[in-house]
Every structure is written in C-alpha cells, then in structure tokens.
Amino acid sequence: MSHEDFPTDDPAVVTCGLPYANGDLHVGHLRTYVGGDVYARALERLGQQTAFVSGSDMHGTPVAVNAEQEGVSPENFALEWHERYAETFPKFNVDFDNYGHTHDETNTELTRDLVRDLDERGHVYEKEIMVAYDPVDDQYLPDRYVEGTCPYCGAHARGDECDEGCQRHLEPGEIEDPVSTITGNPAEYRERTHKFFAVSEFADYLSDFLDRLEGTSNARNQPREWIEQGLQDWCITRDMDWGIDYPDADGEETDLVLYVWVDAPIEYVSSTKQYADRAGADVFDWEAAWRDDADHDGGQIVHVIGRDIIQHHTIFWPAMLHATDHVEPRAVMASGFVTLGGKGFSTSRDRAVWADEYLEEGFHPDLLRYYLATNGGFQQDVDFSWERFRERVNTELVGTIGNFLYRSLLFAHRNYDGTPEGVETASEEVTAAIDEAVADVTDAVNDYSVRDLGDAVTDLAGFGNEYIQRNEPWALVDDDPDAAAQVIYDCVQIAKAIAVLFEPIAPDTCERLWNQLGEDGSVHDVTVDAATEPPAGAFEEPGELFEKIPEERVEELNEKLEERVAEASDADTADAVEDADTTDAEDDGTADKSGESAASDLEPLAEERIGFEEFEDLDLRVGRIVSAEGIEGADKLARLEVDLGVETRQIVAGIKQLHDLESLPETRVIVLANLERAELFGVESNGMVLAAGEEADLLTTHGDAEPGTQVK
Ligand SMILES: [Zn+2]
C-alpha cells in the first residue's frame, strides 16, 4: 500500500452509497450510514480536512417501476423519498456536509460533462444489442422492468443484477426467459443500438489499482476474481425516459438515457461540489479533492458502501475516474449485511426494525450508533437482536463508560466544584493511557475499523475505572489531600479525553459531556490534541449519560418483532433463504409484490454444502396431526397437536389461512422434532412442521410410515 497515513495535507472525501429513493430506511441500511459518519468524524478528529457527502439515487428502474405501480411520476415519487431520507439521517446524527440527489442540476451537468469526456477520449462505442421488449404493452424493458433466470447461476434474477444468486451485474440481453415485471407478459428480445464503455481496456489498470486500494479486504478480493474471469464492456445507456439524457458529443440527439450506475457515483463529486460552493473554496476545494490532472493532485477518497455494490465501486467507477483525469478512490469500506434473527431484512415482508420505529421506542440514537459501529467487524454480516443491543448498552455504555464518568465527575464536583485546583498536569501514567487511546484511534482510522474506534474508548474508560478504584481518592481526601486532588484531576482528564475520542460514535452524548465538563465551544470542532489539554475548571453536578435498558423492554420489543416476523414469514415455513435486502442496494419491494407466480419466487440452490453429520443433527420424524385449531388473535397461526409415536407435541404453524384446518387431522406430516422451543402469540411451539413454499404445502409420506419413524 502506497498511501500516506491519515491525517494527510490533502482534502479527503468520505462518501456513503446512495440510497435508492424508493422505500423506508431500516436498521440494516443505517449500518453503512452510521459507519460512514463515524469514520468521517474520526478523520476530522485527527485533523484531516474532510467532506462527508452522499445523496439520493433518483434514477433507475427500481424507482421508475415503483412509481409506475403507484401511478405517480418518477420524479415526484423519488423526491418524496429523498426528502424523507434528508430528514431521517440527521435524526441519527448522520451529519452529511452535503446531501444532494442525482436528478439535480449539478449532477446532471457533471454527469453529462464526464460522459462527453469519456466519449471524446474514445472510450465509448456503439453496438447493436438485444433488449427485452414487451410486445403487448409496446414498451422496452430495461433492468428492473424485466425478470427471469440468471445465465451464470440459474437463480431467479431481477433486471441488471443477480441479487438472489451469484450477485453478478447482468448486462441487457443476458437474462434468460424474460418476463415483464409490470404486466407479467413474456418479453421478446429486439435489436437496439446502445452505447458501451470499454471497461475491458482498463483491466491492467484496475488490477494495479486493486493492489493499492485500502479499506476492507472484501472490496479487493471479489473484483480480483471478476478481472481474472475477463471484464466485459459495459452498456451505459437504456431505453427509457427517466434518467439523464445521453449527451452526444456531436450534438446529435439520441432517445437514450444513461444507465443509473453512471450518474449515481458522479453524485459523490456533485455533492462535494455543492458543499464547496456553499462553504467556499477556501473551506473545501472540490476540484483539488477529485481531479488528478496538470493543475490538481487529487485528494483522499473513501467510499463507504454495502457489500452488494462492490463491483460498481471497484471496477466501473475507478475506470470512469481514471479515464477522465479524476483521482482514484483510496479506500472502499464495504459493510456486511445485517440480519434479523439470522435472516435477511425484508422490506416487502415488513421484517425489519425501522429507523423511525427505533426512535419512536424512545432510544437515543447514540445507543444504536454504538451498537452498529462495534457489533462485529465492518465487513462481517451481523445479526441484530434487541437482547444483544441491551447487553452492549448496559455493559459497556452504562457499566464501563457511564459508570466511570458519573462516579469520578460526581466526586470531583462534590469535593472540588469541578477540576481540582493546584494540580499542574495529569500524572504520567494517565497521560500515557490517553496517548495510547489516541494512537489506537489513529490506527483504527488507518485500518478502516469503526469497531476499533469504539474499543479504544471502552478500553480507556475501563482503565479509568481501575485507576480510581486502585487509588481510592475517597480514602485520601482527609489524609493526603494533594494525592486525592491529583487522582481526581487525572479522572477529569480521562473524562475530557473520552468526550473527544468518543465523539465520532456518540456525538450527541459527547457534546453533553463536553458541556458538563465546562469546556468552551463544541466537541465537534476539536481534534485529538484536546484530549491531553488541561481540563477547564469548575463544573456542575453531573447527570447520568446513559440509562440502563431493563429486561422487560427487550421482552416487549421481541414480542412486537416476533409477532411481525411470525406474520411475515409463517407463510414460508419450509423456509427458503430470505432475500438479503441490504444497505444501499436496490430494494426488493416491487418484484416481490408483483411476482405472484411460484416460479418467479424460486430461490437459488444453496452453494454451501453441509456434511452428512450436520444433516444427522436434524431429528426429522413422521408425525400424524391429531388436531388443528386457529390461534385467536393471530392471522396466520394454527396450533397443532401432532402424534410423534413416543409423544404428542404441540406445534405452532403459519397455516391458518392456507389450509382447511378441519380437514387436517390424520394427515401425515414431517416434523423437525429437535428445533428449539419457541413461543408464538403466547403459545409454545415444540417442533416444526415442514411445508413447501408460500402456500405452505405440507410435506407428507408416500407410503404409510408410522408416526415417530425417523426420516433419513
Ligand atoms: Zn447469478
């Protein structure tokens, strides 16, 4: 890696992947935005000049398809979501220097300039290709307008991306057995002339670029494989109205618009420009950050994205930048997915913890920020659970950080009205501990690890607790007042350091702490140097910064969630893998809702093999339904008594509306007998009845195996 460590003298830009303006944000989405915000704030704490930007992705077929289904114009549809996002991010203290959108004038102009430049430099050519067309509706079907089968892995694929299978980007014409997502009509392929960006010419450059690229390792490894397999040129135009018109260099008009993935990343540049235009070039020089030409050296660009859009950020985008004298990204941080109870969030099935919902529950945004930033490495997939959330809040935020701050600052206030006077400086031991924390924070930034940023502070607070306990200032106050004053001065110094170093993760709480310490100005404006500067002086009686979450709260939240999860997923008891609907990726709303036919909902076969021993862990038995009745108050749940030979089990199944319950007794079923017990709507479920698909088609036996017979 050839990059100079942060902080550098260059301007830096931290970007977050653009959310598609077509649906509500959930906790899974927030992981990337919180991660980006934490990282940008940490860079600023190091004294690195930084712009933090993003914007809404207004174009593309997910937006157009959803708008069409709602009967509104794509522009109005997308603008409404854009405004929602622009309001939601600040509620979580995700504090962009600029949050624009891809349809605004700045981005339209910069996009047309850049594409014209690509064209004039000879990187764009025309080619006849086959595109999907709905002959009944007389409409071309780009991207999300069409679904079918992935030619690479056979998975059901939507439009331009095999998002349920091999995750490949799909070029127009590649999808097999195409069907219109709007009308359900079988599509045919027609020949059209489109524009192509010659990405394949950049294969060598991109290989070298990946060697230099910093960030998370997944952002390097995946694209290396794609390059080895051979890069295909990239179709950058579409047959549709919604989007940015293709800018022809010679003034000749086309009726094509640019593919959404052309103008989306350019919004990173446009958003930076809007920030610079507003703040002034002396505050931030957007061209110095983005251009790498005779007049500019380029800045430090860090892209924070979800791992499903790695290809766009490590192949297409750097090739576009490199071809047009822009600086290449320094780092790509690609976050793993967030699952819920081990399965993907699903917008269409309402299986999610929504951003608004979290706030309505009355939790402070800093708690979620801490949890998202530190629960697992950034590129790891992590599971969201309220229990784990409570545990982290109670143990680390309340138990370690909050406890240290409260006990030491209360003691300081009661005995000294704040920072003890007459102490010149913090002790050597404490200064060394703070220096170490600052070094850990610096390393965390250069390692692109938001988790390490959090750990650096919990470690420092842990040291503080141990320090005050070991030195017992309460015992020294009378006998050795100087020593007691030194210990408490040290503790106030640690508290000040925590305010500075924890600001990226818990900005609001740290500002309160900063004010509590009687410090001037805002903690958002200081650098890590402030961590070792002498504390201010007098301060008021401190309050508790974090509150414990009682166990009952978690039970209550889990019940709410379980109710929804049960309602949403009981239809698929046989449980195919849920669609992993991710951070800033295209949402699954449309295709799921319109894809009523069973074939269009088929999941790819699992790639990962298991050993026979793992199969043997499943205790599968033949059962005989003894009785079946609906559970009162639950729309979909039924309570079954199932005879398993050795005993009769009570099992809850999501089949209430899908089967005539009276006809079920005596039916043979297959039961997973050693599944963990669960409680659904207050009824214990002791096992699982296997069923296939959305209709919960019950699995039964071909012959007449006795109840209790093992299935193997
Ligand atoms: Zn595929």
mmCIF file of all heavy atoms in Angstrom, residues 359-386:
data_model
loop_
_atom_site.group_PDB
_atom_site.id
_atom_site.type_symbol
_atom_site.label_atom_id
_atom_site.label_comp_id
_atom_site.label_asym_id
_atom_site.label_seq_id
_atom_site.Cartn_x
_atom_site.Cartn_y
_atom_site.Cartn_z
ATOM 1 N N LEU A 359 -36.581 5.144 16.897
ATOM 2 C CA LEU A 359 -36.675 6.427 17.601
ATOM 3 C C LEU A 359 -37.981 6.535 18.380
ATOM 4 O O LEU A 359 -38.015 7.052 19.496
ATOM 5 C CB LEU A 359 -36.556 7.584 16.608
ATOM 6 C CG LEU A 359 -35.193 7.702 15.909
ATOM 7 C CD1 LEU A 359 -35.253 8.761 14.820
ATOM 8 C CD2 LEU A 359 -34.085 8.017 16.904
ATOM 9 N N GLU A 360 -39.055 6.011 17.785
ATOM 10 C CA GLU A 360 -40.345 6.064 18.480
ATOM 11 C C GLU A 360 -40.332 5.258 19.772
ATOM 12 O O GLU A 360 -41.096 5.540 20.693
ATOM 13 C CB GLU A 360 -41.465 5.567 17.556
ATOM 14 C CG GLU A 360 -41.933 6.633 16.569
ATOM 15 C CD GLU A 360 -42.666 6.039 15.370
ATOM 16 O OE1 GLU A 360 -43.113 4.877 15.448
ATOM 17 O OE2 GLU A 360 -42.768 6.757 14.347
ATOM 18 N N GLU A 361 -39.466 4.254 19.830
ATOM 19 C CA GLU A 361 -39.344 3.480 21.071
ATOM 20 C C GLU A 361 -38.640 4.290 22.161
ATOM 21 O O GLU A 361 -38.500 3.852 23.297
ATOM 22 C CB GLU A 361 -38.581 2.172 20.825
ATOM 23 C CG GLU A 361 -39.323 1.157 19.964
ATOM 24 C CD GLU A 361 -40.584 0.607 20.638
ATOM 25 O OE1 GLU A 361 -40.739 0.788 21.856
ATOM 26 O OE2 GLU A 361 -41.413 0.020 19.922
ATOM 27 N N GLY A 362 -38.145 5.470 21.786
ATOM 28 C CA GLY A 362 -37.581 6.370 22.786
ATOM 29 C C GLY A 362 -36.106 6.145 23.078
ATOM 30 O O GLY A 362 -35.566 6.697 24.040
ATOM 31 N N PHE A 363 -35.420 5.356 22.249
ATOM 32 C CA PHE A 363 -33.991 5.151 22.469
ATOM 33 C C PHE A 363 -33.185 6.286 21.851
ATOM 34 O O PHE A 363 -33.530 6.801 20.791
ATOM 35 C CB PHE A 363 -33.533 3.827 21.856
ATOM 36 C CG PHE A 363 -34.113 2.623 22.524
ATOM 37 C CD1 PHE A 363 -34.938 1.755 21.829
ATOM 38 C CD2 PHE A 363 -33.840 2.352 23.860
ATOM 39 C CE1 PHE A 363 -35.476 0.639 22.442
ATOM 40 C CE2 PHE A 363 -34.373 1.239 24.486
ATOM 41 C CZ PHE A 363 -35.192 0.385 23.773
ATOM 42 N N HIS A 364 -32.093 6.628 22.515
ATOM 43 C CA HIS A 364 -31.215 7.664 21.985
ATOM 44 C C HIS A 364 -30.461 7.127 20.770
ATOM 45 O O HIS A 364 -30.009 5.985 20.782
ATOM 46 C CB HIS A 364 -30.227 8.099 23.068
ATOM 47 C CG HIS A 364 -29.533 9.376 22.727
ATOM 48 N ND1 HIS A 364 -28.526 9.434 21.797
ATOM 49 C CD2 HIS A 364 -29.730 10.643 23.163
ATOM 50 C CE1 HIS A 364 -28.120 10.695 21.684
ATOM 51 N NE2 HIS A 364 -28.839 11.436 22.503
ATOM 52 N N PRO A 365 -30.316 7.955 19.721
ATOM 53 C CA PRO A 365 -29.612 7.469 18.522
ATOM 54 C C PRO A 365 -28.177 7.011 18.797
ATOM 55 O O PRO A 365 -27.681 6.105 18.128
ATOM 56 C CB PRO A 365 -29.618 8.678 17.579
ATOM 57 C CG PRO A 365 -30.055 9.844 18.385
ATOM 58 C CD PRO A 365 -30.876 9.302 19.517
ATOM 59 N N ASP A 366 -27.523 7.613 19.796
ATOM 60 C CA ASP A 366 -26.138 7.224 20.077
ATOM 61 C C ASP A 366 -26.014 5.752 20.492
ATOM 62 O O ASP A 366 -24.981 5.129 20.261
ATOM 63 C CB ASP A 366 -25.540 8.112 21.181
ATOM 64 C CG ASP A 366 -25.179 9.502 20.656
ATOM 65 O OD1 ASP A 366 -25.267 9.715 19.431
ATOM 66 O OD2 ASP A 366 -24.824 10.370 21.478
ATOM 67 N N LEU A 367 -27.062 5.225 21.096
ATOM 68 C CA LEU A 367 -27.007 3.820 21.514
ATOM 69 C C LEU A 367 -26.934 2.917 20.289
ATOM 70 O O LEU A 367 -26.140 1.981 20.231
ATOM 71 C CB LEU A 367 -28.228 3.450 22.363
ATOM 72 C CG LEU A 367 -28.548 4.319 23.577
ATOM 73 C CD1 LEU A 367 -29.710 3.724 24.356
ATOM 74 C CD2 LEU A 367 -27.327 4.465 24.484
ATOM 75 N N LEU A 368 -27.788 3.216 19.309
ATOM 76 C CA LEU A 368 -27.783 2.412 18.087
ATOM 77 C C LEU A 368 -26.479 2.623 17.320
ATOM 78 O O LEU A 368 -25.920 1.688 16.754
ATOM 79 C CB LEU A 368 -28.975 2.769 17.200
ATOM 80 C CG LEU A 368 -29.118 1.893 15.945
ATOM 81 C CD1 LEU A 368 -29.424 0.456 16.315
ATOM 82 C CD2 LEU A 368 -30.203 2.431 15.016
ATOM 83 N N ARG A 369 -25.983 3.852 17.304
ATOM 84 C CA ARG A 369 -24.712 4.126 16.636
ATOM 85 C C ARG A 369 -23.608 3.261 17.232
ATOM 86 O O ARG A 369 -22.824 2.651 16.505
ATOM 87 C CB ARG A 369 -24.346 5.615 16.759
ATOM 88 C CG ARG A 369 -25.221 6.554 15.930
ATOM 89 C CD ARG A 369 -24.848 8.010 16.208
ATOM 90 N NE ARG A 369 -23.487 8.305 15.810
ATOM 91 C CZ ARG A 369 -23.135 8.894 14.655
ATOM 92 N NH1 ARG A 369 -24.070 9.257 13.807
ATOM 93 N NH2 ARG A 369 -21.872 9.116 14.375
ATOM 94 N N TYR A 370 -23.567 3.224 18.555
ATOM 95 C CA TYR A 370 -22.524 2.427 19.210
ATOM 96 C C TYR A 370 -22.672 0.959 18.847
ATOM 97 O O TYR A 370 -21.698 0.285 18.483
ATOM 98 C CB TYR A 370 -22.597 2.607 20.734
ATOM 99 C CG TYR A 370 -21.602 1.740 21.463
ATOM 100 C CD1 TYR A 370 -20.239 2.055 21.447
ATOM 101 C CD2 TYR A 370 -22.002 0.591 22.139
ATOM 102 C CE1 TYR A 370 -19.312 1.248 22.083
ATOM 103 C CE2 TYR A 370 -21.081 -0.218 22.782
ATOM 104 C CZ TYR A 370 -19.739 0.109 22.756
ATOM 105 O OH TYR A 370 -18.819 -0.695 23.376
ATOM 106 N N TYR A 371 -23.900 0.481 18.931
ATOM 107 C CA TYR A 371 -24.155 -0.936 18.661
ATOM 108 C C TYR A 371 -23.775 -1.290 17.214
ATOM 109 O O TYR A 371 -23.092 -2.276 16.958
ATOM 110 C CB TYR A 371 -25.631 -1.233 18.930
ATOM 111 C CG TYR A 371 -26.050 -2.644 18.624
ATOM 112 C CD1 TYR A 371 -25.781 -3.678 19.510
ATOM 113 C CD2 TYR A 371 -26.723 -2.940 17.437
ATOM 114 C CE1 TYR A 371 -26.173 -4.976 19.228
ATOM 115 C CE2 TYR A 371 -27.111 -4.237 17.150
ATOM 116 C CZ TYR A 371 -26.843 -5.257 18.050
ATOM 117 O OH TYR A 371 -27.228 -6.532 17.753
ATOM 118 N N LEU A 372 -24.217 -0.466 16.265
ATOM 119 C CA LEU A 372 -23.939 -0.757 14.850
ATOM 120 C C LEU A 372 -22.452 -0.652 14.537
ATOM 121 O O LEU A 372 -21.917 -1.407 13.735
ATOM 122 C CB LEU A 372 -24.733 0.187 13.940
ATOM 123 C CG LEU A 372 -26.244 -0.035 13.880
ATOM 124 C CD1 LEU A 372 -26.908 1.025 13.013
ATOM 125 C CD2 LEU A 372 -26.575 -1.432 13.356
ATOM 126 N N ALA A 373 -21.790 0.303 15.176
ATOM 127 C CA ALA A 373 -20.373 0.518 14.866
ATOM 128 C C ALA A 373 -19.488 -0.573 15.456
ATOM 129 O O ALA A 373 -18.450 -0.910 14.884
ATOM 130 C CB ALA A 373 -19.927 1.888 15.378
ATOM 131 N N THR A 374 -19.884 -1.113 16.595
ATOM 132 C CA THR A 374 -18.955 -2.000 17.303
ATOM 133 C C THR A 374 -19.384 -3.453 17.345
ATOM 134 O O THR A 374 -18.651 -4.309 17.823
ATOM 135 C CB THR A 374 -18.774 -1.529 18.765
ATOM 136 O OG1 THR A 374 -20.051 -1.545 19.411
ATOM 137 C CG2 THR A 374 -18.185 -0.139 18.818
ATOM 138 N N ASN A 375 -20.583 -3.763 16.858
ATOM 139 C CA ASN A 375 -21.064 -5.139 16.913
ATOM 140 C C ASN A 375 -20.541 -5.917 15.707
ATOM 141 O O ASN A 375 -21.186 -6.004 14.695
ATOM 142 C CB ASN A 375 -22.597 -5.145 16.931
ATOM 143 C CG ASN A 375 -23.162 -6.522 17.171
ATOM 144 O OD1 ASN A 375 -22.570 -7.325 17.881
ATOM 145 N ND2 ASN A 375 -24.304 -6.804 16.571
ATOM 146 N N GLY A 376 -19.340 -6.470 15.829
ATOM 147 C CA GLY A 376 -18.763 -7.209 14.702
ATOM 148 C C GLY A 376 -17.931 -6.304 13.823
ATOM 149 O O GLY A 376 -18.093 -5.082 13.835
ATOM 150 N N GLY A 377 -17.019 -6.899 13.068
ATOM 151 C CA GLY A 377 -16.189 -6.136 12.141
ATOM 152 C C GLY A 377 -17.057 -5.573 11.029
ATOM 153 O O GLY A 377 -18.136 -6.094 10.759
ATOM 154 N N PHE A 378 -16.565 -4.501 10.385
ATOM 155 C CA PHE A 378 -17.387 -3.789 9.413
ATOM 156 C C PHE A 378 -17.813 -4.679 8.250
ATOM 157 O O PHE A 378 -18.919 -4.572 7.749
ATOM 158 C CB PHE A 378 -16.637 -2.561 8.902
ATOM 159 C CG PHE A 378 -17.528 -1.564 8.222
ATOM 160 C CD1 PHE A 378 -18.537 -0.924 8.916
ATOM 161 C CD2 PHE A 378 -17.357 -1.256 6.883
ATOM 162 C CE1 PHE A 378 -19.369 -0.003 8.295
ATOM 163 C CE2 PHE A 378 -18.176 -0.331 6.253
ATOM 164 C CZ PHE A 378 -19.177 0.290 6.963
ATOM 165 N N GLN A 379 -16.915 -5.575 7.817
ATOM 166 C CA GLN A 379 -17.275 -6.365 6.640
ATOM 167 C C GLN A 379 -17.990 -7.667 6.996
ATOM 168 O O GLN A 379 -18.436 -8.401 6.121
ATOM 169 C CB GLN A 379 -16.060 -6.630 5.773
ATOM 170 C CG GLN A 379 -14.962 -7.437 6.402
ATOM 171 C CD GLN A 379 -13.884 -7.745 5.366
ATOM 172 O OE1 GLN A 379 -14.154 -8.259 4.293
ATOM 173 N NE2 GLN A 379 -12.652 -7.404 5.677
ATOM 174 N N GLN A 380 -18.129 -7.914 8.287
ATOM 175 C CA GLN A 380 -18.828 -9.116 8.710
ATOM 176 C C GLN A 380 -20.337 -8.931 8.618
ATOM 177 O O GLN A 380 -20.840 -7.844 8.890
ATOM 178 C CB GLN A 380 -18.530 -9.336 10.187
ATOM 179 C CG GLN A 380 -17.628 -10.489 10.520
ATOM 180 C CD GLN A 380 -17.300 -10.420 12.003
ATOM 181 O OE1 GLN A 380 -16.399 -9.695 12.417
ATOM 182 N NE2 GLN A 380 -18.051 -11.147 12.795
ATOM 183 N N ASP A 381 -21.057 -9.993 8.295
ATOM 184 C CA ASP A 381 -22.508 -9.949 8.450
ATOM 185 C C ASP A 381 -22.801 -10.040 9.942
ATOM 186 O O ASP A 381 -22.169 -10.809 10.647
ATOM 187 C CB ASP A 381 -23.155 -11.150 7.745
ATOM 188 C CG ASP A 381 -23.048 -11.038 6.234
ATOM 189 O OD1 ASP A 381 -22.603 -9.977 5.754
ATOM 190 O OD2 ASP A 381 -23.391 -11.998 5.544
ATOM 191 N N VAL A 382 -23.721 -9.223 10.422
ATOM 192 C CA VAL A 382 -24.053 -9.292 11.846
ATOM 193 C C VAL A 382 -25.558 -9.425 12.025
ATOM 194 O O VAL A 382 -26.340 -9.042 11.162
ATOM 195 C CB VAL A 382 -23.566 -8.039 12.620
ATOM 196 C CG1 VAL A 382 -22.061 -7.932 12.583
ATOM 197 C CG2 VAL A 382 -24.211 -6.782 12.099
ATOM 198 N N ASP A 383 -25.915 -9.981 13.141
ATOM 199 C CA ASP A 383 -27.323 -10.187 13.439
ATOM 200 C C ASP A 383 -27.782 -9.123 14.427
ATOM 201 O O ASP A 383 -27.118 -8.867 15.413
ATOM 202 C CB ASP A 383 -27.507 -11.580 14.042
ATOM 203 C CG ASP A 383 -28.960 -12.013 13.984
ATOM 204 O OD1 ASP A 383 -29.570 -11.833 12.910
ATOM 205 O OD2 ASP A 383 -29.482 -12.494 14.992
ATOM 206 N N PHE A 384 -28.902 -8.484 14.100
ATOM 207 C CA PHE A 384 -29.454 -7.519 15.054
ATOM 208 C C PHE A 384 -30.352 -8.264 16.030
ATOM 209 O O PHE A 384 -31.224 -9.008 15.638
ATOM 210 C CB PHE A 384 -30.269 -6.442 14.334
ATOM 211 C CG PHE A 384 -30.848 -5.417 15.280
ATOM 212 C CD1 PHE A 384 -30.113 -4.290 15.613
ATOM 213 C CD2 PHE A 384 -32.096 -5.601 15.874
ATOM 214 C CE1 PHE A 384 -30.617 -3.348 16.504
ATOM 215 C CE2 PHE A 384 -32.601 -4.666 16.765
ATOM 216 C CZ PHE A 384 -31.860 -3.542 17.081
ATOM 217 N N SER A 385 -30.111 -8.052 17.326
ATOM 218 C CA SER A 385 -31.069 -8.555 18.313
ATOM 219 C C SER A 385 -31.191 -7.537 19.430
ATOM 220 O O SER A 385 -30.213 -6.907 19.831
ATOM 221 C CB SER A 385 -30.638 -9.923 18.851
ATOM 222 O OG SER A 385 -29.825 -9.787 19.995
ATOM 223 N N TRP A 386 -32.413 -7.365 19.919
ATOM 224 C CA TRP A 386 -32.641 -6.405 20.992
ATOM 225 C C TRP A 386 -31.909 -6.849 22.256
ATOM 226 O O TRP A 386 -31.466 -6.022 23.050
ATOM 227 C CB TRP A 386 -34.142 -6.273 21.277
ATOM 228 C CG TRP A 386 -34.899 -5.502 20.237
ATOM 229 C CD1 TRP A 386 -35.843 -5.988 19.386
ATOM 230 C CD2 TRP A 386 -34.783 -4.095 19.954
ATOM 231 N NE1 TRP A 386 -36.317 -4.979 18.583
ATOM 232 C CE2 TRP A 386 -35.694 -3.799 18.915
ATOM 233 C CE3 TRP A 386 -34.004 -3.072 20.473
ATOM 234 C CZ2 TRP A 386 -35.842 -2.519 18.392
ATOM 235 C CZ3 TRP A 386 -34.149 -1.784 19.956
ATOM 236 C CH2 TRP A 386 -35.054 -1.530 18.923
#
